[in-house]
Amino acid sequence: MTAYQGARTTARPRSLLQLALGTVAAGAVGALVVVAFSPFSAATAAFSPPLYALIAGAYSVVPFLARRVLDYTWAATTVGVVAAALAAPFSPIGILIVVLFVGAGAAYDSVLWCLTRGRADRRAPGWAYAVAALVSALVLFLVSYPVLSPAHRVPLILAATFGGRAVGQLAAAGAAAAVHRLLGRRPLGHRGRARR
């Protein structure tokens, strides 16, 4: 059984097992990114939330890339969950990192789903990825707001922190697009009825 039976595509349909293995593999790579950046990001979080917000954009590169390569509706979310679960023991915030990945991934995936619903080929235009990245930045900002110290809850720092989130997420989306182009690959499957 394939994941996208009946879908018109030039790419070979992939089985659910292949997509699951791809999701786990991408999640493992994402976890390595989290582990690699955690020491530096943790050191900046306490004294500069805007800088931390910018650096943390690196965590979204793999989930955003997975959304393009694996090409199923909740790819960024599920890859993010796998990455966060694997990285949680090494993260300064522990299992709470799952909340950040779920929030960012679900926002990104939801926006892309909404913006492609009316398209016959279900393909997301380039600008849709930027919009999805900005919405994910807003979600990350709102989720992280409660943990900001009172000293950092002033308009200038809050604006700079959101700006850092926005730039970081847009950079992650741009990096994912660039890597996808370098891979020279079409998505592993095509959006079809079986994904809903």
Side-chain angles (χ1 to χ4, degrees), residues 55-191:
I55 294 169
Y59 298 163
S60 293
V61 173
V62 174
F64 288 2
L65 177 60
R67 182 64 173 75
R68 289 174 176 271
V69 175
L70 297 176
D71 194 39
Y72 64 89
T73 303
W74 300 105
T77 307
T78 53
V79 166
V81 169
V82 173
L86 293 174
F90 310 99
S91 171
I93 62 173
I95 198 66
L96 290 177
I97 195 172
V98 176
V99 176
L100 296 175
F101 270 97
V102 170
Y108 189 78
D109 287 332
S110 297
V111 170
L112 289 176
W113 178 75
C114 288
L115 294 177
T116 57
R117 286 186 68 189
R119 296 176 65 91
D121 60 358
R122 309 288 289 181
R123 310 303 309 161
W127 59 265
Y129 292 99
V131 173
L134 287 173
V135 174
S136 73
L138 176 61
V139 170
L140 285 171
F141 173 75
L142 294 175
V143 168
S144 61
Y145 177 81
V147 301
L148 290 175
S149 68
H152 290 142
R153 293 183 185 179
V154 296
L156 182 60
I157 294 181
L158 289 176
T161 300
F162 175 71
R165 284 289 188 190
V167 172
Q169 294 301 97
L170 285 171
V179 172
H180 189 238
R181 284 194 298 270
L182 285 174
L183 290 175
R185 297 179 59 182
R186 296 180 63 83
L188 291 182
H190 188 70
R191 295 177 179 84

